[in-house]
Amino acid sequence: MTLQDILDPQLDASFKGFPQNTAPLRRSAVAAQGWNVLDGDLPLPLAIVKRDAVTHNLSWMQRFATERGVDMAPHGKTTMSPQLFRRQLDAGAWGLTFATVGQVRAGATTGARRCLIANQVLSAADLQGIQSLQQEFAGLRIAFLVDSLAQLALIEAWFSAQPQATPFEVMIEIGVPGGRTGCRTHADALTLAERLHQSSATRLVGIECYEGGGASGKTEPDSAYANALMQRVAAIALACDAAGWFADDEVLITAGGSAIFDLVAEQLKPQLSLPVRGLLRSGCYVTHDHGFYKRMVNAVNQRLGCEDGLHPAIEVWASVQSCPEPGLAILAVGRRDLSYDLDLPTPIAYSPRGGRSIRTAPADWTVSALNDQHAYLRWTDAGSALLQVGDRVALGISHPCTTFDKWRWMPVVDADYGVCDALVTCF
Amino acid sequence: MTLQDILDPQLDASFKGFPQNTAPLRRSAVAAQGWNVLDGDLPLPLAIVKRDAVTHNLSWMQRFATERGVDMAPHGKTTMSPQLFRRQLDAGAWGLTFATVGQVRAGATTGARRCLIANQVLSAADLQGIQSLQQEFAGLRIAFLVDSLAQLALIEAWFSAQPQATPFEVMIEIGVPGGRTGCRTHADALTLAERLHQSSATRLVGIECYEGGGASGKTEPDSAYANALMQRVAAIALACDAAGWFADDEVLITAGGSAIFDLVAEQLKPQLSLPVRGLLRSGCYVTHDHGFYKRMVNAVNQRLGCEDGLHPAIEVWASVQSCPEPGLAILAVGRRDLSYDLDLPTPIAYSPRGGRSIRTAPADWTVSALNDQHAYLRWTDAGSALLQVGDRVALGISHPCTTFDKWRWMPVVDADYGVCDALVTCF
């Protein structure tokens, strides 16, 4: 797959949300179609990305990192969109983060040459995959996580049978008791670090943690939690530095989801003898949302004294297909089209059929349930039947990752819902 | 997109689960690669489809329908897989069902010429889309659902402005109070039927309902519920027949998910003056599952006295990436890879690393949580640490629809987990 294939692919009517009567066209030709979402030029349901919100978020987050002397390695698994990867790199990102070896391919094809895999890699297929990617993309740097001697043994066994292989760049993951992956204790981390230093299969290039799993949205416990974790990361980095176990002239220290990223960003640069590159891996910031991340980032904004933080950029528009009972409208949109893992979607606006007018959704509208291809929109004041069959409803989502993976393309819209660009995804 | 493009597309390393170091190849060339899932030839996580189970299910369900004098119009939205559409048609299906106009394109490209849309269609984009598809695919028949005069008014407004358009084939949807779409009363349905008969924009070709939303898995309430619904459908069909409102020589009567399909199948052929074609729209039967549908179909099997019912055909294999605490293994698989809407996945088997041996998962293994790219496998007897880093675990899923939509391709395996074929999806 070439750079043009991935940045400017051909779209056609086999893509959900593309008009059935339009000939195939390249992504770069979408803007010239003159489509407007409110004019009904595109079939619903449709997930759209608001251009101005994305531009704001890219620059807001890059500035946030720069002001703290750290770099961005945004998590690409959120969007898996080459067009957004390119925007993130152009905005100043040091590199990109991914969850799997296969995902790295999309980043490398887009032009990223520094990729973190925020996961343990250990299978022969994945270790070989990293070597293959590095042969295919000149200068591609890939560093992944290690958290156990058992994992290292698998890496070494594979490496010793591959005389052509180059050593793997690895970071030790620091985890928390009751949490997910990662070394649970200081001693375990140092035992592993020494072995990684000694191994011919690995080069220890940094220390990693993920604080997002412990975020509550309440500043007091979140600060205590993040501080304790980052102090452990710093102590382990200091010990590895003192022992001379880091393999490079620069040490990577990385953390960061999109929920309490401000609480870790300040602590990504412990004082070592070697220069430190602090890397923030937030992914969801790029489109933000109307649910979980909105709640979490409200607390971030309060801590920062920020009055214009991240803007929600994704809306999923759907038709009212039936109003079968008082207080109930059935929308033609469902689990195939938007997130439902953290919260059900939130009605944010509606547009009566046949026009471009948009009205704010009443506060008593809720989506009470989703089926695969249907949503149940309910309101408590059954007398106020504002919606009719054929009207359009905009839903805000909670958790960008699980909406992006339901679309092969998404139109990018201007402030008037004119389609000014498009992005594709590579899940 | 040609028939070859859709039935025998090219796969490459940008497809999740495809080896990074393998050149692109056509789907039909996959079997010749000699891949075996247990040999680690393909990167994990990986959703696989068991060949023998699918073959069994296709023939079991077709026989079930034939024995009851009804036809299959399997819901294609479950799999959106042209290879499975082809198998369903070849097994004897009358046609295919879809949820959206866009989905019909995949079915028509695969060769289906009779398509039901089990949803209300009403927007200009979708009405135009149906006309475009019918121009593009000679002889393509599409019938969709109508459940309100408001919807009919939108169809008529669009139709009256399109002198070239041909009338739309429609079926009246019968719904239940407290349910989803569909006419709630006999009187509403007949008022609508008369108007559909009178309209130049529509041709009334049948009556539809969906019983799956009311299924509990308990025979007594499910029978009462299905009987009451199907009796309403029959009464409305009789009234429309007596009034001469059906437009064709044959009347379509259709129902059917995959949970209590046996309770509606017997009642799809009410005695009318016109011949009746009963159509069962089950979709999930083709791969079945280890969760919701397994529980539901256990009751079906009991009612049928069937000892060899549907077989679960999907497994999602994942690596153990970390064993960080007693009683906990973290698997490299998550919400990006399998269903989590009806139940979390069920561990069904495991294979120690570096071999082909497979062992049944102990009964105390459960997946307690999923992140986007991680699963938490827990066991209660912390002393029995059977799993080690690098071992592979097979997860059974609950709800095929929401696993298929997470994969662009899936290998088809024989009884020894050798890859003997592949399918792609078109979400």
Side-chain angles (χ1 to χ4, degrees):
Chain A
M1 191 172 279
T2 67
L3 185 60
Q4 189 191 12
D5 287 339
I6 200 164
L7 283 182
D8 196 20
Q10 185 163 286
L11 309 174
D12 63 39
S14 75
F15 284 64
K16 182 169 68 165
F18 193 93
Q20 287 300 317
N21 59 346
T22 299
L25 46 84
R26 292 234 171 231
R27 183 201 60 80
S28 56
V30 164
Q33 302 303 306
W35 290 331
N36 188 289
V37 173
L38 301 177
D39 287 346
D41 293 324
L42 298 165
L44 303 185
L46 190 68
I48 61 168
V49 172
K50 302 184 98 165
R51 177 191 62 192
D52 299 345
V54 166
T55 299
H56 168 86
N57 294 345
L58 283 164
S59 115
W60 190 97
M61 192 58 131
Q62 185 62 48
R63 192 170 59 244
F64 170 87
T66 303
E67 286 173 359
R68 281 148 189 86
V70 301
D71 284 287
M72 293 296 298
H75 211 317
K77 63 116 183 172
T78 296
T79 71
M80 284 307 290
S81 171
Q83 291 76 33
L84 291 174
F85 297 166
R86 197 61 259 162
R87 296 282 302 274
Q88 291 171 316
L89 292 167
D90 289 346
W94 173 88
L96 295 173
T97 301
F98 293 99
T100 67
V101 176
Q103 290 176 357
V104 172
R105 171 172 296 277
T109 307
T110 309
R113 285 299 173 270
R114 301 184 191 104
C115 293
L116 309 181
I117 298 178
N119 244 333
Q120 282 65 29
V121 177
L122 47 84
S123 72
D126 284 342
L127 295 168
Q128 178 59 58
I130 288 176
Q131 301 279 335
S132 298
L133 284 166
Q134 289 179 319
Q135 283 159 21
E136 193 174 339
F137 297 96
L140 175 61
R141 186 178 172 191
I142 301 173
F144 64 81
L145 307 187
V146 175
D147 73 349
S148 70
L149 294 171
Q151 182 195 355
L152 175 58
L154 292 171
I155 296 167
E156 290 185 313
W158 183 86
F159 187 82
S160 67
Q162 305 286 330
Q164 308 297 322
T166 55
F168 294 101
E169 293 191 39
V170 298
M171 302 184 287
I172 293 180
E173 179 167 35
I174 309 304
V176 291
R180 195 166 71 186
T181 43
C183 295
R184 297 300 199 248
T185 70
H186 185 86
D188 284 350
L190 291 192
T191 302
L192 180 59
E194 184 170 20
R195 287 280 291 107
L196 292 168
H197 165 68
Q198 292 164 342
S199 175
S200 60
T202 56
R203 304 180 66 249
L204 179 61
V205 301
I207 310 291
E208 185 268 1
C209 72
Y210 172 60
E211 80 292 346
S216 71
K218 293 178 190 136
T219 289
E220 199 171 329
D222 287 352
S223 291
Y225 169 81
N227 286 340
L229 177 59
M230 295 311 293
Q231 282 165 18
R232 288 178 55 216
V233 167
I236 290 160
L238 278 163
C240 292
D241 182 48
W245 292 338
F246 286 120
D248 280 347
D249 295 342
E250 177 182 83
V251 176
L252 307 181
I253 304 290
T254 173
S258 294
I260 54 170
F261 56 89
D262 61 314
L263 297 175
V264 295
E266 307 280 0
Q267 301 178 68
L268 289 172
K269 306 262 290 189
Q271 283 290 327
L272 306 185
S273 73
L274 290 166
V276 171
R277 187 172 297 275
L279 292 172
L280 200 55
R281 301 194 311 276
S282 315
C284 290
Y285 79 93
V286 68
T287 63
H288 198 50
D289 71 18
H290 288 90
F292 176 79
Y293 285 102
K294 179 180 175 183
R295 293 194 297 276
M296 291 289 163
V297 172
N298 280 343
V300 173
N301 292 340
Q302 283 178 13
R303 290 192 291 268
L304 298 177
C306 171
E307 293 186 357
D308 187 28
L310 297 170
H311 296 179
I314 295 181
E315 295 173 1
V316 181
W317 283 77
S319 291
V320 177
Q321 67 180 114
S322 188
C323 295
E325 294 178 11
L328 173 65
I330 304 294
L331 310 182
V333 65
R335 290 188 286 234
R336 250 49 194 288
D337 309 305
L338 41 64
S339 310
Y340 52 89
D341 54 315
L342 299 184
D343 303 283
L344 292 177
T346 306
I348 52 176
Y350 68 106
S351 176
R353 63 189 182 284
R356 286 195 186 182
S357 74
I358 295 187
R359 301 170 193 169
T360 301
D364 68 338
W365 285 12
T366 57
V367 172
S368 65
L370 293 177
N371 296 156
D372 287 358
Q373 313 267 173
H374 299 80
Y376 297 70
L377 173 59
R378 296 184 190 274
W379 51 92
T380 48
D381 178 4
S384 71
L386 295 171
L387 282 181
Q388 298 182 58
V389 172
D391 291 348
R392 291 79 54 90
V393 176
L395 300 173
I397 56 115
S398 182
H399 197 187
C401 299
T402 45
T403 292
F404 271 105
D405 69 2
K406 293 168 179 66
W407 295 88
R408 291 167 64 205
W409 81 298
M410 294 161 78
V412 178
V413 302
D414 61 24
D416 300 318
Y417 290 85
V419 178
C420 56
D421 196 359
L423 58 83
V424 298
T425 66
C426 307
F427 288 99
Chain B
M1 190 171 280
T2 67
L3 184 61
Q4 189 191 12
D5 286 340
I6 201 164
L7 283 183
D8 195 21
Q10 186 162 284
L11 308 174
D12 62 40
S14 74
F15 284 64
K16 182 169 67 165
F18 192 93
Q20 288 300 315
N21 59 346
T22 299
L25 47 84
R26 292 232 173 234
R27 181 201 62 77
S28 55
V30 164
Q33 303 303 305
W35 290 331
N36 188 290
V37 172
L38 300 177
D39 287 347
D41 294 324
L42 298 165
L44 304 186
L46 190 68
I48 61 168
V49 172
K50 303 185 97 164
R51 179 192 59 190
D52 298 344
V54 167
T55 299
H56 168 86
N57 294 344
L58 284 164
S59 111
W60 189 96
M61 193 58 133
Q62 185 63 48
R63 191 170 60 244
F64 171 87
T66 303
E67 286 173 358
R68 279 147 192 86
V70 301
D71 283 287
M72 293 295 299
H75 211 318
K77 63 116 184 175
T78 296
T79 72
M80 284 307 290
S81 171
Q83 291 77 32
L84 291 174
F85 297 166
R86 196 62 258 161
R87 296 282 303 274
Q88 291 171 314
L89 292 167
D90 289 346
W94 173 87
L96 295 173
T97 301
F98 294 99
T100 68
V101 175
Q103 290 175 358
V104 171
R105 171 172 295 279
T109 307
T110 308
R113 286 298 173 270
R114 301 185 191 104
C115 293
L116 309 181
I117 299 179
N119 243 334
Q120 282 66 28
V121 176
L122 47 85
S123 73
D126 283 343
L127 294 168
Q128 178 59 60
I130 287 176
Q131 300 280 335
S132 298
L133 284 166
Q134 289 179 319
Q135 283 159 23
E136 194 174 337
F137 297 95
L140 174 60
R141 184 177 174 190
I142 301 174
F144 63 81
L145 307 187
V146 175
D147 73 349
S148 70
L149 294 172
Q151 182 195 355
L152 175 58
L154 292 170
I155 296 166
E156 289 186 313
W158 183 86
F159 188 81
S160 66
Q162 304 287 330
Q164 307 298 320
T166 55
F168 294 101
E169 291 192 40
V170 298
M171 300 183 288
I172 293 180
E173 179 167 33
I174 308 305
V176 291
R180 195 165 72 186
T181 44
C183 295
R184 297 301 198 248
T185 69
H186 186 86
D188 284 351
L190 291 192
T191 301
L192 179 58
E194 183 169 21
R195 288 281 290 108
L196 292 167
H197 165 67
Q198 292 165 343
S199 174
S200 60
T202 55
R203 304 180 67 250
L204 178 61
V205 301
I207 310 291
E208 185 269 1
C209 72
Y210 172 60
E211 80 292 345
S216 71
K218 293 176 190 135
T219 289
E220 198 172 330
D222 287 353
S223 290
Y225 168 81
N227 286 341
L229 177 58
M230 295 311 292
Q231 282 166 17
R232 288 178 55 215
V233 166
I236 290 160
L238 278 164
C240 291
D241 182 48
W245 292 338
F246 286 119
D248 281 347
D249 294 341
E250 177 182 81
V251 175
L252 307 182
I253 303 290
T254 172
S258 295
I260 54 171
F261 56 90
D262 61 315
L263 296 175
V264 295
E266 306 281 0
Q267 302 179 65
L268 288 172
K269 306 260 292 189
Q271 282 290 327
L272 305 186
S273 73
L274 290 166
V276 171
R277 187 173 297 275
L279 291 172
L280 201 54
R281 302 195 309 276
S282 316
C284 290
Y285 79 92
V286 67
T287 62
H288 198 50
D289 71 17
H290 288 90
F292 176 78
Y293 285 102
K294 179 180 174 182
R295 293 194 297 276
M296 290 290 161
V297 172
N298 279 344
V300 174
N301 292 340
Q302 284 178 12
R303 290 191 289 268
L304 298 178
C306 171
E307 293 186 356
D308 186 29
L310 298 170
H311 296 179
I314 296 180
E315 294 174 1
V316 181
W317 282 78
S319 291
V320 177
Q321 65 180 118
S322 189
C323 294
E325 296 178 10
L328 173 65
I330 305 294
L331 310 182
V333 65
R335 290 188 287 234
R336 249 54 191 285
D337 309 304
L338 41 65
S339 309
Y340 52 89
D341 54 315
L342 299 184
D343 304 282
L344 292 177
T346 306
I348 51 176
Y350 67 107
S351 175
R353 63 188 180 286
R356 286 194 185 183
S357 74
I358 294 187
R359 300 170 194 170
T360 301
D364 68 338
W365 285 12
T366 57
V367 172
S368 65
L370 294 177
N371 296 157
D372 288 358
Q373 313 267 174
H374 299 81
Y376 297 70
L377 173 59
R378 296 185 189 274
W379 51 92
T380 48
D381 177 4
S384 70
L386 295 172
L387 282 181
Q388 298 183 57
V389 172
D391 291 348
R392 291 82 51 90
V393 176
L395 300 172
I397 56 116
S398 182
H399 197 186
C401 299
T402 46
T403 293
F404 271 105
D405 69 1
K406 292 168 179 67
W407 295 88
R408 291 167 64 206
W409 82 299
M410 294 161 79
V412 178
V413 301
D414 62 24
D416 299 318
Y417 290 85
V419 178
C420 56
D421 196 359
L423 57 84
V424 298
T425 66
C426 307
F427 288 98

